[in-house]
Amino acid sequence: MQNLLIVGCGDIARRLLPLLGRRYRVFALLRDRDQSAFWREQGALPIVADLDQPASLRRIVGLAQLVVHLAPPAEGKSRRNEHRDLRTRQLLAALARQATLPQRIVYISTSGVYGDCRGERIDETRPARPSSARARRRMDAERQLRAFGQRGVAVSILRAPGIYAADRLPLERLRQGLPVLHADDDVYTNHIHADDLAKLTLAALRHGRANRTYNACDDSELAMGDYFDLVADRFGLPRPPRLTRPEVQARISPRQWSFMSESRRLSNQRCKRELRSRLRYPQVCDGLDAAWQERMSAC
């Protein structure tokens, strides 16, 4: 039985844990001590430490042969660190203190590192050109991990697009009537169900190649407005109004607008071929149907 450390114990980690079974002895790095009881009940051993407090990370030194890194970068507090992922840097510094380095690290990054591809179909050979500060921090994390991998650690990076699930849908946005772009101006977006991302994380632990990136997306090919229409129709909400680019930009937040400034269609063929994991929800409509059924069952 190998020791596995999960860093970043949020939604995907909670979905991953039941998939691990008894094959691994799981350690969960937690910032909040109050979460310890939950993780202990789920069969994991909680380790209270904070990536923003390097001294606390001595508790993970020598702990695990496998690491799943799910923690997002912190927003840079200075211009110098605006595009740096200091959390990954501090995690790797702690792991480097081990007498024996971890055998494998799986990291969930973002497809945002590709930047705007003008709607082109792309695979992992596409050069990364992140345009947002958020994506540049992810790119910095990827570079750090690749460099760490040169020391004999198998690093696999999953580039995830928009993650959705029954509790991760834009229902409130639809209720507010926020607009989307006219079809002629719309951008392509990509998706992955949270359960499938957890499955792909486990597949990368087992089959991921060293220093390899994977587009962790489903098979759907949707414009963003069509995605919102699908959600609205499935949950009985009004479709969002379609407006021009200036009109939409004036009515939504800068963060929301940043997602409407990039367009790409991701290929997941490498993921299918090398990770050997079959998606439970290959199309967004499959995941939305399951989300609707889950909601009806809860009523």
Side-chain angles (χ1 to χ4, degrees):
M1 181 179 293
Q2 291 182 297
N3 289 353
L4 168 65
L5 174 66
I6 300 178
V7 179
C9 293
D11 179 46
I12 302 303
R14 289 174 183 242
R15 295 172 189 265
L16 171 64
L17 190 58
L19 304 180
L20 296 173
R22 298 177 183 238
R23 174 173 291 194
Y24 309 97
R25 188 182 187 208
V26 180
F27 296 86
L29 191 153
L30 307 173
R31 298 178 65 181
D32 184 358
R33 187 180 298 274
D34 292 342
Q35 295 183 22
S36 298
F38 168 83
W39 287 93
R40 194 175 287 111
E41 288 170 2
Q42 300 303 309
L45 299 172
I47 306 294
V48 179
D50 189 339
L51 294 177
D52 296 324
Q53 302 294 328
S56 71
L57 297 178
R58 66 181 182 274
R59 295 167 189 156
I60 69 170
V61 175
L63 201 62
Q65 296 88 37
L66 308 171
V67 178
V68 175
H69 180 11
L70 308 175
E75 188 169 339
K77 295 182 180 179
S78 67
R79 183 175 295 274
R80 178 183 178 186
N81 293 326
E82 182 181 6
H83 300 147
R84 296 180 179 178
D85 181 5
L86 299 182
R87 288 177 174 170
T88 292
R89 180 171 301 181
Q90 283 149 189
L91 171 64
L92 296 180
L95 296 176
R97 297 190 196 108
Q98 301 181 181
T100 302
L101 294 178
Q103 297 169 12
R104 179 178 294 278
I105 299 176
V106 175
Y107 176 61
I108 293 186
S109 182
T110 174
S111 60
V113 299
Y114 293 115
D116 182 24
C117 301
R118 299 182 179 181
E120 294 178 19
R121 292 183 177 89
I122 63 169
D123 61 17
E124 293 86 352
T125 63
R126 179 83 172 205
R129 293 192 177 94
S131 56
S132 68
R134 180 179 63 255
R136 290 188 182 114
R137 287 190 288 272
R138 292 287 192 176
M139 191 75 253
D140 181 61
E142 289 192 17
R143 291 193 189 103
Q144 292 182 57
L145 287 157
R146 285 180 178 275
F148 198 72
Q150 295 299 320
R151 303 170 69 174
V153 180
V155 173
S156 297
I157 297 168
L158 301 179
R159 289 175 172 169
I163 305 170
Y164 75 101
D167 55 352
R168 300 179 68 150
L169 294 173
L171 302 181
E172 186 55 36
R173 188 187 191 284
L174 289 167
R175 293 188 185 103
Q176 292 173 8
L178 294 177
V180 294
L181 295 167
H182 280 303
D184 291 343
D185 289 331
D186 211 352
V187 297
Y188 282 101
T189 186
N190 306 273
H191 303 272
I192 187 70
H193 193 283
D195 286 344
D196 280 330
L197 184 53
K199 284 183 63 178
L200 291 174
T201 303
L202 177 60
L205 268 174
R206 295 177 176 174
H207 308 298
R209 297 187 183 179
N211 256 347
R212 194 75 154 161
T213 58
Y214 297 94
N215 291 335
C217 60
D218 64 20
D219 299 336
S220 57
E221 190 173 282
L222 288 171
M224 184 175 289
D226 294 339
Y227 167 69
F228 283 110
D229 285 350
L230 273 177
V231 177
D233 292 350
R234 195 68 190 87
F235 287 84
L237 296 170
R239 288 187 172 188
R242 301 266 186 159
L243 302 179
T244 65
R245 281 186 167 271
E247 291 171 328
V248 172
Q249 188 173 10
R251 291 185 54 182
I252 65 176
S253 71
R255 181 180 175 86
Q256 291 172 326
W257 177 248
S258 71
F259 292 110
M260 294 187 175
S261 303
E262 298 181 357
S263 182
R264 53 189 168 263
R265 288 177 279 179
L266 299 176
S267 167
N268 61 8
Q269 291 307 302
R270 177 186 288 181
C271 206
K272 288 181 175 179
R273 184 173 62 251
E274 296 183 10
L275 299 189
R276 295 178 259 168
S277 180
R278 179 175 295 181
L279 298 178
R280 183 176 182 183
Y281 306 107
Q283 299 285 341
V284 166
C285 57
D286 300 322
L288 293 180
D289 287 346
W292 173 255
Q293 293 299 327
E294 184 176 330
R295 174 162 292 209
M296 291 299 96
S297 298
C299 292

